[in-house]
Every structure is written in structure tokens, then in C-alpha cells.
Amino acid sequence: MDRPFPTWHRMDMQRFEAIAPFKAYLRAHQNQGLRIGLVPTMGALHEGHLSLVAKAKEAGADVVAASVFVNPKQFGPGEDLDKYPRDLEGDAAKLAEAGCDAIFYPTPKMMYPAGFQSEVLVEKATGVLCGANRPGHFAGVTTVVMKLFGIARPDLAVFGEKDFQQLSVLRIMARDLNLDVEVVGAPLVRDEDGVALSSRNQLLSPKERTEAQAIHRGLRAAKDAYEAGERSADSLLNTAREVMQSAGLEPQYLELRSYQDLTALERADSPAVIFTAVPLGPTRLIDNMILSRA
Ligand code: AMP
């Protein structure tokens, strides 16, 4: 028999554009003793984002709210803010299907009204990798996430290991500022061909999409070398670089750093991650490979 509605959740998911009713909805649930899980996103959602909704439930959230907000403060001049893909209706349908309870999609004016003048800054961990190449980016991220935490007051918030540095920075922020939010990491989700799922993949031409496969191939080759016993950063990184370069890609950075605190490593004797960013066509893709976890 045809189902009149795709899922029960699709009918049931609450949609909030304004801050006050979203707050009121969450407070009502909190007052009943329910745990709130928050999944912040910039939309154009894919399976990677939806895995965060599942992770929030797994981590103990009774109510999961996802935010969709393309945060202008985390884009620098000349970056891809205007080109960034947007699909609110598609996002709402996917979140409902994934069992999300509420979607919050404020406008930039609601988040940053006239007179807004605050900023949250995490220092050391934002000076490297993407932070060194995108000045102001992480201040934009920490400021908007702090705002989202202030609005939603979640018990837990889920972020993907796809943006490993972001996850580390947000963990530091939550610890340093005594926020009562458990920052939960979720594994990086890849496409069948190895490419890390990213909303920015939509900006690639078919040829660039094929070239993008070399990013994961390079990282995988380094991990294979690691698993075979190689520990030298230079050697591991050269292995990855050669694969990328032979596909015509030139990483903006390719580095071995500590899993725990992002400090640079010369050897992968302790828990370590390889990080890379690769300019490709109109955009720039980031990826990483965890060699060993803490
Ligand atoms: P974004 O919409 O790109 O800002 O991402 C929102 C959240 O989804 C962040 O916590 C990302 O780390 C996470 N995310 C994005 N892509 C992936 C992926 N391929 N696998 C896991 N998490 C992801």
C-alpha cells in the first residue's frame, strides 16, 4: 500500500526560522528532563550530515535539532560565500527522513542584528592548518557555535571528524569556557570512490570530481605506509603528496599533527592525524586521515 506520507517524522519535524520560538520549543522539552542534541550545519546536506543526527541519538539525545545557517562570519573576502550551495527544502526533507525533531534556519540578520559586536576566540589551535590559511575563519566558527549553544543550550552537540580541526577547536572552547555541552565527534563519511562527502563537492566539474579522488588515494597510501611500519612524517607526507601531484593536485598544506592537540609531529609514534587542504577548481577541499587515535 502506498504510504500517504514518507515518514511519521516528516510530518512531525518542527521548523523554526526565528530564535524565540526555537528557544521556547527546546526549553519546554528541557523542562521535561529530556536531553537536547544539536547538529550545527551550513546546509546542502548529504549523508555525512545525516550521520551526525544518528550520532546525536546514539550519544543519548532525546530531542535532536539541526541548524542550517551559512555563517557569513566564517568566510573571508574572496572565499565561496556567494557560491556556497543552498537547498533549504531539500535539507528539511532529508533531516525529517533522518528522524531529526527540529530544524532551525535563521537569517544572517537574525543572528547578527545591528549592534552585534562580540567574538569568541580560541588561540593556539586556530593558528595552524586551515586557521593559518583562512584568517578569521575559526573566530567565525566559534562565535556562531557559541551563539547556537546560547540559543539551544544543548546537552550535547555533534560535529564531524571531516573538519577535525574545527572539532578540536570547539572541544577546547567548551572546556575553556566551562560550557555544559558534551562535544561529540562523528566519523568522516566518504563516497564510494573515497572522496570525503562535502557540500562543496557540488561546485566541482565532473573532471575535477574525478581528480578529487586522488586526495583520499594519497592519504590512504600514507596510511598503508604507516600500517607497514613507517613513522617518519616526511616519508608519510611525501607518499601522500606524490599521489596527489601525479593527479595534478597541489595541496595548500599537508601535515602530520597530534590527534590530541594538533601540535606538529616529526614522527607518528603517538596518536596522529594527517591533514590536507587542496585547491580544486572554484573551491578548496579539506580531508584528513587518522593514523591512530588517542
Ligand atoms: P558543514 O555544513 O560543512 O559546515 O558541516 C556541518 C557538520 O557536518 C560539521 O560538523 C562537519 O564536520 C560535518 N560533516 C560535513 N561533512 C562530513 C562528512 N563527510 N563526514 C562526517 N561529517 C561531516
Side-chain angles (χ1 to χ4, degrees), residues 8 14 22 56 61 81 141 146 163 179 185 208 214 219 260 272 282 288:
W8 177 81
Q14 304 287 312
F22 179 55
L81 174 62
V141 170
M146 189 71 194
D163 302 275
L179 307 179
E208 289 158 354
L219 294 173
Q260 286 111 323
N288 66 73

Side-chain angles (χ1 to χ4, degrees), residues 115-175:
F116 185 93
Q117 53 192 288
S118 302
E119 191 172 67
V120 179
L121 262 188
V122 170
E123 291 190 296
K124 231 169 76 191
T126 63
V128 300
L129 302 170
C130 283
N133 290 283
R134 301 183 67 188
H137 167 69
F138 282 113
V141 170
T142 45
T143 300
V144 80
V145 171
M146 189 71 194
K147 264 187 84 79
L148 291 169
F149 284 3
I151 293 166
R153 294 198 219 146
D155 297 281
L156 60 95
V158 187
F159 299 90
E161 288 180 345
K162 155 77 168 34
D163 302 275
F164 193 99
Q165 184 178 16
Q166 170 174 280
L167 173 62
S168 304
V169 166
L170 293 172
R171 282 207 165 110
I172 293 168
M173 177 181 89
R175 182 200 66 192

Side-chain angles (χ1 to χ4, degrees), residues 39-49 51-52 69 74 84 158-164 166-167 170 186-190 195-200:
V39 176
T41 81
M42 296 206 300
L45 302 181
H46 50 63
E47 289 298 323
H49 296 110
S51 76
L52 308 186
F69 179 59
Q74 69 189 70
Y84 199 84
V158 187
F159 299 90
E161 288 180 345
K162 155 77 168 34
D163 302 275
F164 193 99
Q166 170 174 280
L167 173 62
L170 293 172
L188 196 164
V189 178
R190 297 184 182 279
V195 174
L197 293 182
S198 166
S199 308
R200 290 190 163 97

Side-chain angles (χ1 to χ4, degrees), residues 31 33 43 47 125-126 131 139 203 210 213 238 260 288:
N31 290 341
E47 289 298 323
T126 63
L203 302 172
T210 305
Q213 295 170 1
N238 282 337
Q260 286 111 323
N288 66 73

Side-chain angles (χ1 to χ4, degrees), residues 249-283:
L249 302 181
E250 193 53 63
Q252 183 181 54
Y253 64 73
L254 180 62
E255 298 183 32
L256 181 77
R257 289 187 174 265
S258 153
Y259 177 94
Q260 286 111 323
D261 64 5
L262 304 184
T263 51
L265 297 177
E266 285 180 12
R267 291 182 56 80
D269 293 324
S270 49
V273 183
I274 297 179
F275 293 90
T276 193
V278 181
L280 190 51
T283 190

